[in-house]
Amino acid sequence: MKISVFSKMNSESTYELCKNTVDVLSKFCEKVYICEKFKDRFDANVCFAKEDELMSLCDLAIAIGGDGTTLSVAKEAAISGKMVLGINAGRLGFMSGLEKNELDLLNKLADNEFSVDERMMIKAEVFRKDGSCSTYHCLNDAVITRGGLARLIDIRVMSENRLITETRADGMIVSTPTGSTAYSMAAGGPVLSPDNSCFVVTPICPHSLLNRSVVFPSDKSMTLFVENDVDNNAFLAIDGKESIPIDNETKISISKSEYTAKLIKIKPDNFYEILRKKIIERRY
């Protein structure tokens, strides 16, 4: 088995967790790969490769960090058809399969004693007036937000040439079931088990007493249009990373992605147990 370890290693504690992980993996893996930029921090039990080669070299990937790291690696793994296991080095670690004190469970990878949670993803296509189109894939959400000025924008959501919702708000979140526990939940959206296949459309601070989230089937596509005044602008954020400027003549098409994120699950906890432990009963 060949495993690539992905981590930002932006703290000493995360580095120690990576080192301990490599030590465990090297006992049963044919090769363990880490980005070559960390070459001076590891002296044994590891192979080094360029960052853009790590995914192609491995049978499965391990992401060490917070939910942002796991999210980023899971998307890359999905496009490559690989599985990923998250090890939590952050605070919440909602997407992680293991905590830092559970590294002994990594041996289950060698014995195939694990299951795989398949998570649907979103494909967002941005069509410009000049005919150009950009395509993005999201595991959590695609979010339309207003610019820096405190002015509302008008967002229209259509499907099959029929109006679904028209909202004046700070923005609009289109999330997957996986992303329903992220920004969408913070904006008042429903929490969905990740084994569902649907979109959750949630307005951000709508100027209305009646606006609520809409759960939309993933076998249909939707189109979003944004109107904002000449002194303001709007953006489309992809999983909180890419930020794409959009204007009144931009069309955003949302559909189910052809890619599926595959998250390795070693422990028997189900989604509702994790939700209770990490969000409902969480103490700061």
Side-chain angles (χ1 to χ4, degrees):
M1 179 182 291
K2 299 175 184 178
I3 293 179
S4 289
V5 176
F6 295 79
S7 179
K8 297 177 182 177
M9 294 193 215
N10 49 8
S11 70
E12 193 61 29
S13 61
T14 304
Y15 162 67
E16 287 298 326
L17 179 55
C18 288
K19 184 176 181 298
N20 293 337
T21 300
V22 168
D23 289 343
V24 174
L25 293 175
S26 62
K27 294 176 182 178
F28 63 85
C29 284
E30 178 186 347
K31 288 184 179 180
V32 180
Y33 293 97
I34 284 182
C35 182
E36 62 183 7
K37 68 182 178 182
F38 301 120
K39 203 168 188 176
D40 60 337
R41 307 205 69 179
F42 293 83
D43 53 11
N45 302 329
V46 67
C47 301
F48 299 97
K50 295 180 180 179
E51 189 170 10
D52 59 0
E53 295 177 347
L54 286 174
M55 192 62 72
S56 63
L57 291 170
C58 69
D59 298 312
L60 63 86
I62 289 182
I64 300 177
D67 282 327
T69 299
T70 302
L71 179 70
S72 176
V73 176
K75 286 172 59 176
E76 184 181 352
I79 293 171
S80 299
K82 305 289 179 71
M83 301 177 291
V84 61
L85 171 66
I87 300 179
N88 183 27
R91 290 177 295 177
L92 186 58
F94 195 77
M95 295 181 66
S96 300
L98 292 178
E99 298 297 323
K100 57 187 175 182
N101 62 342
E102 298 174 327
L103 298 185
D104 57 309
L105 296 177
L106 287 171
N107 292 304
K108 292 182 177 291
L109 295 176
D111 299 326
N112 288 318
E113 295 180 9
F114 60 87
S115 59
V116 178
D117 280 348
E118 296 201 14
R119 308 286 184 89
M120 70 156 281
M121 295 173 61
I122 286 172
K123 179 167 72 173
E125 298 175 284
V126 180
F127 296 91
R128 305 286 185 184
K129 182 183 179 181
D130 61 7
S132 63
C133 174
S134 302
T135 302
Y136 307 88
H137 296 274
C138 325
L139 178 51
N140 261 3
D141 48 41
V143 181
I144 295 174
T145 59
R146 61 174 173 79
L149 297 177
R151 296 183 180 180
L152 302 179
I153 55 178
D154 292 297
I155 305 163
R156 188 168 79 258
V157 183
M158 306 283 295
S159 179
E160 299 178 337
N161 294 319
R162 295 177 181 273
L163 180 66
I164 297 174
T165 182
E166 193 167 24
T167 306
R168 173 163 288 191
D170 279 353
M172 184 78 74
I173 304 164
V174 181
S175 82
T176 63
T178 296
S180 71
T181 54
Y183 194 3
S184 178
M185 183 184 73
V191 171
L192 301 179
S193 173
D195 56 5
N196 285 290
S197 183
C198 57
F199 307 115
V200 182
V201 183
T202 302
I204 305 170
C205 298
H207 191 249
S208 169
L209 296 174
L210 300 176
N211 277 76
R212 294 290 184 269
S213 298
V214 176
V215 178
F216 193 80
S218 63
D219 61 348
K220 298 183 184 299
S221 62
M222 65 180 75
T223 306
L224 290 82
F225 302 90
V226 180
E227 291 184 9
N228 46 282
D229 62 49
V230 293
D231 296 321
N232 197 11
N233 48 21
F235 297 88
L236 174 67
I238 304 296
D239 278 336
K241 296 293 184 182
E242 296 101 334
S243 185
I244 303 108
I246 54 179
D247 59 28
N248 293 354
E249 297 179 332
T250 302
K251 180 176 75 172
I252 301 167
S253 176
I254 299 291
S255 59
K256 184 178 179 180
S257 172
E258 61 268 32
Y259 300 114
T260 302
K262 299 175 177 65
L263 302 184
I264 293 174
K265 178 181 174 183
I266 293 178
K267 297 186 295 182
D269 300 25
N270 68 23
F271 168 74
Y272 300 102
E273 289 173 319
I274 296 171
L275 181 70
R276 176 175 54 80
K277 290 176 183 177
K278 297 208 169 190
I279 294 184
I280 297 175
E281 295 180 355
R282 187 183 178 203
R283 296 292 183 267
Y284 291 87

